[in-house]
Amino acid sequence: MPAVPSSPPLVLLPGMNCSARLWGPAGAGALHPVLDRPTLDDQVEALLDALPGRFALGGLSLGGIVAMALTRRAPDRVAGLCLMATNARPPAPAQRDGWDAALTRLDDGAPARALQPLELLLHDRSHDDTALRMADEVGERRLAAQLRLQGSRVDERPALPAVAVPTLVLAGAHDRLCPVDRHTEIAGLVPGARLHVLPGAGHLLPVEAPDTVATLVAGWTATVHARERARAAGRH
């Protein structure tokens, strides 16, 4: 009998100024690449060079944007897609102005933690320390690259109807950076996508609702693995 295929690994891409600490229990056993390239194309290329041949891919915020770009660029590499607290639209002028201002602050010597907009990231401010510790772990050089990467984003919406893998979309009901309607839009464009809105969470979903996110991610990965087994069986 043919060998049973191994399950594709889970790859989780963090948001801007976030480290692997973001993921909590949802990140157990996952691969945690960093985002450290100054353009979207460079970042996708670096990930494709470094990651296994096929994987389940999740990302939050900027990580979700990179995940959409990677799926568009190399759909054969992605076994499943999980998008959290993110936005498929191209940058707005006000966003570009904000990223430029943040780069100027970094050039003037501000630490990465000083650029962590806690009031926008968290609905429950008891998690401030986690967000600040993540910024310390990212550091100024990597944050500067991420701010430049943000400016190279494109409109991912035209490619979303071609996504043909199990897709989970998670939104925080109180997300002030990527509101629920951005996720409704994504879920409406990806065939068969499942949308969950977490009622007590803001932007940093895995920090504010770690157990709920872990449960939802586990259910999604189980679906991905089942589909991969069926896919492999169909080839024999």
Side-chain angles (χ1 to χ4, degrees):
M1 292 184 63
V4 176
S6 59
S7 298
L10 173 61
V11 175
L12 293 174
L13 305 178
M16 187 171 73
N17 217 9
C18 294
S19 67
R21 185 184 299 275
L22 168 75
W23 298 107
L31 302 177
H32 296 281
V34 299
L35 303 180
D36 60 358
R37 303 302 171 96
T39 71
L40 187 61
D41 286 343
D42 286 348
Q43 186 64 73
V44 168
E45 190 66 37
L47 290 169
L48 290 173
D49 287 346
L51 292 174
R54 192 165 170 84
F55 46 87
L57 181 61
L60 181 141
S61 197
L62 178 59
I65 291 161
V66 174
M68 286 185 276
L70 190 153
T71 304
R72 166 173 50 83
R73 172 94 167 266
D76 57 311
R77 300 280 298 276
V78 179
L81 185 61
C82 179
L83 302 171
M84 306 184 197
T86 195
N87 179 10
R89 298 184 180 189
Q95 289 176 302
R96 293 186 184 279
D97 291 344
W99 300 327
D100 289 344
L103 281 167
T104 298
R105 290 184 64 190
L106 286 175
D107 288 342
D108 290 341
R113 65 165 36 217
L115 279 78
Q116 200 71 303
L118 299 172
E119 70 283 357
L120 299 178
L121 295 174
L122 294 164
H123 178 61
D124 178 358
R125 295 293 300 277
S126 70
H127 299 290
D128 281 11
D129 184 62
T130 298
L132 293 172
R133 290 176 69 187
M134 288 196 295
D136 293 339
E137 291 162 352
V138 170
E140 292 72 40
R141 180 177 297 182
R142 194 184 302 165
L143 176 57
Q146 293 171 358
L147 286 162
R148 293 186 173 94
L149 191 163
Q150 291 273 26
S152 70
R153 287 163 41 188
V154 300
D155 191 344
E156 298 292 344
R157 290 174 295 178
L160 291 178
V163 175
V165 294
T167 300
L168 175 66
V169 182
L170 301 182
H174 302 281
D175 192 338
R176 296 173 59 191
L177 287 174
C178 298
V180 172
D181 64 351
R182 297 295 187 264
H183 303 83
T184 304
E185 180 176 61
I186 292 169
L189 289 169
V190 177
R194 294 169 51 221
L195 170 65
H196 290 269
V197 178
L198 279 60
H203 190 64
L204 297 185
L205 300 175
V207 173
E208 297 193 85
D211 294 336
T212 301
V213 170
T215 297
L216 290 168
V217 169
W220 163 72
T221 54
T223 300
V224 172
H225 294 165
R227 177 165 174 159
E228 287 297 286
R229 288 193 295 270
R231 179 174 177 265
R235 293 199 299 263
H236 293 289

